[in-house]
Amino acid sequence: MEKIRWRYAGLLVLTLGLILVVTISGLAQEQTPTPIEGEEEEVDVTPTVPVTPTVDVTEEEVDEEEGILATTEEDRERDLELTVYNQNLGLVKEVHTFDLTEGENEIGYAGVATEIEPTSVHFVSLTDPEGTVVLEQNYAYDIASTRDLLLRYVDQEIAVRTVEGDVYTGTLLSGLDDVILASDEGFKMIKMGQVQEVSFPAPPDELVTKPTLAWLVRAAEAGEQDVRITYLTEGINWQADYIATLGADDDALSMIGWVTLNNQSGATYEDARLKLVAGDVHRVSEPTPKLEMEEQRARAEEAAVQEREFFSYHLYEVERPVTVRDRQTKQIEFVTAPDVTVDRVFVYEPSPTVRVPADEAVTDRTYGLDLDRKVRVMLEFVNEEKDGLGMPLPKGKVRVYKEDVGGGAEFVGEDAVDHTPEGEELSLHLGNAFDIVGERTQLAFEQVGERVIEESYRIALRNQQDEEITVRVIEHLFRAQDAEVLSSSEDYEMIDANTLQYELDVPVEAETAVTYTVRYEW
């Protein structure tokens, strides 16, 4: 294969030459290093003196090496697109420019995400897609740690300086747990904890200190080509975070929604076109990315974040370039709803929520009697435009504050919401009521037949607040699937075949109770 010079390999290898000096314990002090000639030389060493590699690599020598044709930083910043899914997954699309020769070329670049999924990488030439063929695709990432470097120098001569200042040279036989050297004088085993410095003779072959993608490409014609590279990476995620402030009368709130982006992928994305996908994308162990995302309608210039339907999901696109740095959490506002109509609701749901198979039943009389269920405080509202919303809301956490008499706001609770399309209801559990007490008592239990049970309950609610309230009581008919309510002291609504619901008014400092009897057959 034709030799191809490195564009920027010189700088890379010079850097590698510097990192080959490994100090196992302690930080290096800036002193002039003493060359190691042998054990008998008197060495004046402190525990932090670095040892210089015995072979220097110059940029001129590197230019004569056969290497990979790399892209520049300027090339990397062109046309960068980042799509983030709320499943700890990101899709990166970059356009790079390579100056290819006719025939086979080795090309690539370093600096991709450390959490990349190598099997998801896709390479396509935008300049000559028919005439440019990928023959091989490679991914390399070696961490230049002490252990990894020692493994690379097995069967080669190295020098080891101990914390006591003794210097040993010899052929490295092992560096896994202890350092074992072989020399004319025999074998020497040095405990890893006693090693102060290790000197290596020359840079190891093919040492890669950054995640690197490389390809063997056959080009039909020589010249510059624009290439789109696409890959999936883990370690990057987003969610929605909502801040809601409840009004004084508890009947309206204002809400701001933030996109919270957390990048732990091991790469920084400068001035990227950022898209966020809300929805549960099915994945398998070796996912195949959807490489090209076709836009279905024009972007709105006035919106900071534009939402649109995409496949069976919703896609949010930020209308300006965004830099997402590695190890950074970034927030971008995407929802503003200043006046949303809400209802405060009290919910008492004391019965078990189990569901048994059709031919079975829970026959234990005491099952579920010891449940200590509190009366929940809920906020309910509908995601409709007439109620102040009317937009697809991605899943996330809603933190609710309430205005206080002094003009400030106090935190009153939070809850998580799932992806909520327009027109659907939302319900937030903020906490448990302090001055409302519920009590559920079993009045009767009788097995009237081999596969028939009749059971009665009394549910009481006491209100110690200074205003009349309505409590929603939810009872699950849990003992068997075939359940029939024989009698009830209050009207109820069947939510489904095994769930009934009461709306009970409870006066100030008073008690309201309801009784019912149910028959189970299985």
Side-chain angles (χ1 to χ4, degrees), residues 27 100 116 133 170 225 268 275 296 349 351 408 418 477 488 517:
L27 296 173
L100 304 181
I116 185 176
V133 180
Q225 289 198 29
T268 293
K275 298 179 180 180
Q296 298 179 356
E349 190 175 4
S351 55
D418 203 350
L477 309 180
S488 174
T517 299

Side-chain angles (χ1 to χ4, degrees), residues 27 29 31 43-50 161-163 165 196-197:
L27 296 173
Q29 298 179 356
Q31 298 186 21
V43 183
D44 181 15
V45 182
T46 63
T48 56
V49 176
R161 189 190 305 271
T162 67
V163 292
Q196 174 71 13
E197 296 175 350

Side-chain angles (χ1 to χ4, degrees), residues 35-44 158-162 165-170 181-188 190:
I36 299 175
E37 301 295 340
E39 292 186 37
E40 299 180 359
E41 182 184 4
E42 183 177 353
V43 183
D44 181 15
I158 67 169
V160 178
R161 189 190 305 271
T162 67
D166 299 322
V167 178
Y168 302 94
T169 60
L181 300 178
S183 65
D184 294 340
E185 299 178 357
F187 297 97
K188 181 68 177 179
I190 307 169

Side-chain angles (χ1 to χ4, degrees), residues 88-89 113-121 139 213 230-234 283-289:
N88 197 40
L89 180 70
T114 59
E115 298 297 320
I116 185 176
E117 294 188 0
T119 58
S120 71
V121 177
Y139 171 72
L213 288 173
T230 307
Y231 64 85
L232 290 171
T233 178
E234 296 183 343
R283 302 186 64 203
V284 293
S285 57
E286 294 185 4
T288 301

Side-chain angles (χ1 to χ4, degrees), residues 368-434:
L369 296 182
D370 56 350
L371 294 180
D372 184 20
R373 297 291 178 88
K374 303 289 188 179
V375 177
R376 302 197 302 267
V377 182
M378 313 288 293
L379 281 185
E380 295 183 348
F381 52 101
V382 182
N383 185 13
E384 291 184 343
E385 186 175 355
K386 67 180 182 62
D387 290 331
L389 273 174
M391 63 192 75
L393 299 176
K395 69 178 179 181
K397 184 180 294 184
V398 183
R399 294 178 175 89
V400 181
Y401 299 80
K402 179 175 170 58
E403 295 178 2
D404 200 3
V405 291
E410 301 294 339
F411 179 67
V412 295
E414 66 183 21
D415 200 5
V417 295
D418 203 350
H419 300 302
T420 306
E422 184 177 353
E424 294 297 316
E425 295 183 355
L426 292 98
S427 182
L428 305 178
H429 176 202
L430 300 186
N432 298 322
F434 186 87

Side-chain angles (χ1 to χ4, degrees), residues 388-519:
L389 273 174
M391 63 192 75
L393 299 176
K395 69 178 179 181
K397 184 180 294 184
V398 183
R399 294 178 175 89
V400 181
Y401 299 80
K402 179 175 170 58
E403 295 178 2
D404 200 3
V405 291
E410 301 294 339
F411 179 67
V412 295
E414 66 183 21
D415 200 5
V417 295
D418 203 350
H419 300 302
T420 306
E422 184 177 353
E424 294 297 316
E425 295 183 355
L426 292 98
S427 182
L428 305 178
H429 176 202
L430 300 186
N432 298 322
F434 186 87
D435 296 321
I436 307 171
V437 178
E439 190 175 71
R440 180 173 180 266
T441 305
Q442 186 185 67
L443 300 178
F445 179 91
E446 183 181 2
Q447 187 156 352
V448 298
E450 182 180 357
R451 302 176 71 85
V452 181
I453 288 176
E454 290 186 2
E455 186 175 28
S456 300
Y457 279 96
R458 179 180 187 269
I459 298 172
L461 293 157
R462 294 185 291 276
N463 175 23
Q464 304 301 330
Q465 295 190 151
D466 57 1
E467 62 179 354
E468 182 176 333
I469 60 171
T470 299
V471 179
R472 179 180 301 162
V473 177
I474 299 175
E475 273 290 280
H476 301 282
L477 309 180
F478 63 92
R479 292 195 179 275
Q481 287 194 24
D482 188 358
E484 178 187 0
V485 178
L486 301 180
S487 63
S488 174
S489 63
E490 300 287 342
D491 293 336
Y492 61 89
E493 177 184 359
M494 294 299 299
I495 303 303
D496 56 43
N498 289 84
T499 306
L500 51 90
Q501 177 176 300
Y502 295 96
E503 298 286 341
L504 301 180
D505 296 328
V506 188
V508 176
E509 297 184 354
E511 178 182 275
T512 297
V514 59
T515 59
Y516 74 91
T517 299
V518 59
R519 173 184 289 167

